Amino acid sequence: MLELDEPQLALVSGLLNRMRAVMASDYRAKYDMLRSYLRILMHESLNMLPVVPADSHAGAAARITAQFLALLERQFPIDSPGQSMALRTPAAFAQGLAVHTNHLNRSVKMVTGRTTSRVISDRMIKEAQALLQHTDWSVAQIAGGLGFEEPAYFTNFFKKYTGTAPARTRVSA
């Protein structure tokens, strides 16, 4: 998962808007143009990826981090209120990847610059915000889907990372 800063977001948004305009146009070679824009978008995206430090363990750390991120992403989106995240802790992910928790933590920190817990929390917050904005599920249902046993724990977690209550996020969306 790639998180974009403002200039990067503006660049990607601009390219996507240009692609939409070309698609809506009557230009004869619009599909060739769209392929060109897609190539530019792919190269710009690759250019935005963080640089992996060049040391002897970087390959293994990058591989483990990629596996961790793929395993994290496979838990989303949460499609129904009855669905729940199976893995929520670094230890659970480490077990799923058959590596020691400390090894996973070191690898993720080396590659992303963030702790494993922070990466998990950031992704959970992103999913919570999407569910609050795009579903009519209750806060309790969203909490359950994200693996929280009590809605109050979810509310505290959400407030800690966003500075606002889940119900308030829904109202402002």
Side-chain angles (χ1 to χ4, degrees), residues 85-114:
M85 285 181 63
L87 306 172
R88 289 190 54 225
T89 66
F93 279 96
Q95 184 177 10
L97 295 170
V99 297
H100 193 276
T101 306
N102 292 342
H103 185 57
L104 175 63
N105 287 333
R106 276 192 304 275
S107 297
V108 171
K109 181 74 171 183
M110 179 189 300
V111 173
T112 68
R114 297 182 294 163

Side-chain angles (χ1 to χ4, degrees), residues 9 66 84 88:
L9 185 59
S84 183
R88 289 190 54 225

Side-chain angles (χ1 to χ4, degrees), residues 5-171:
D5 58 25
E6 288 299 320
Q8 292 169 332
L9 185 59
L11 173 69
V12 171
S13 295
L15 285 170
L16 291 174
N17 288 334
R18 186 66 191 130
M19 290 171 75
R20 281 188 203 101
V22 168
M23 190 64 194
S25 75
D26 293 331
Y27 179 54
R28 283 188 197 188
K30 70 180 174 182
Y31 293 106
D32 290 331
M33 185 179 253
L34 285 171
R35 276 189 284 277
S36 296
Y37 275 121
L38 185 57
R39 284 187 186 103
I40 291 169
L41 184 60
M42 289 184 334
H43 283 287
E44 289 292 349
S45 298
L46 288 172
N47 191 34
M48 292 175 193
L49 290 174
V51 177
V52 177
D55 67 21
S56 61
H57 300 292
R63 186 181 70 253
I64 289 169
T65 301
Q67 290 171 342
F68 159 71
L69 293 172
L71 188 57
L72 177 62
E73 284 303 316
R74 277 197 296 265
Q75 297 191 98
F76 301 103
I78 296 174
D79 296 322
S80 68
Q83 182 183 349
S84 183
M85 285 181 63
L87 306 172
R88 289 190 54 225
T89 66
F93 279 96
Q95 184 177 10
L97 295 170
V99 297
H100 193 276
T101 306
N102 292 342
H103 185 57
L104 175 63
N105 287 333
R106 276 192 304 275
S107 297
V108 171
K109 181 74 171 183
M110 179 189 300
V111 173
T112 68
R114 297 182 294 163
T115 65
T116 307
S117 295
R118 185 59 193 230
V119 172
I120 296 167
S121 295
D122 288 349
R123 184 59 182 92
M124 289 172 66
I125 289 295
K126 189 176 283 188
E127 185 69 11
Q129 289 171 326
L131 291 171
L132 286 165
Q133 292 173 3
H134 303 293
T135 70
D136 60 354
W137 301 357
S138 69
V139 171
Q141 288 172 315
I142 293 171
L146 292 173
F148 289 89
E149 292 180 18
E150 296 292 330
Y153 296 154
F154 167 68
T155 299
N156 290 339
F157 168 81
F158 193 86
K159 278 183 186 178
K160 176 182 174 185
Y161 286 96
T162 66
T164 185
R168 196 161 245 219
T169 299
R170 174 169 277 155
V171 170

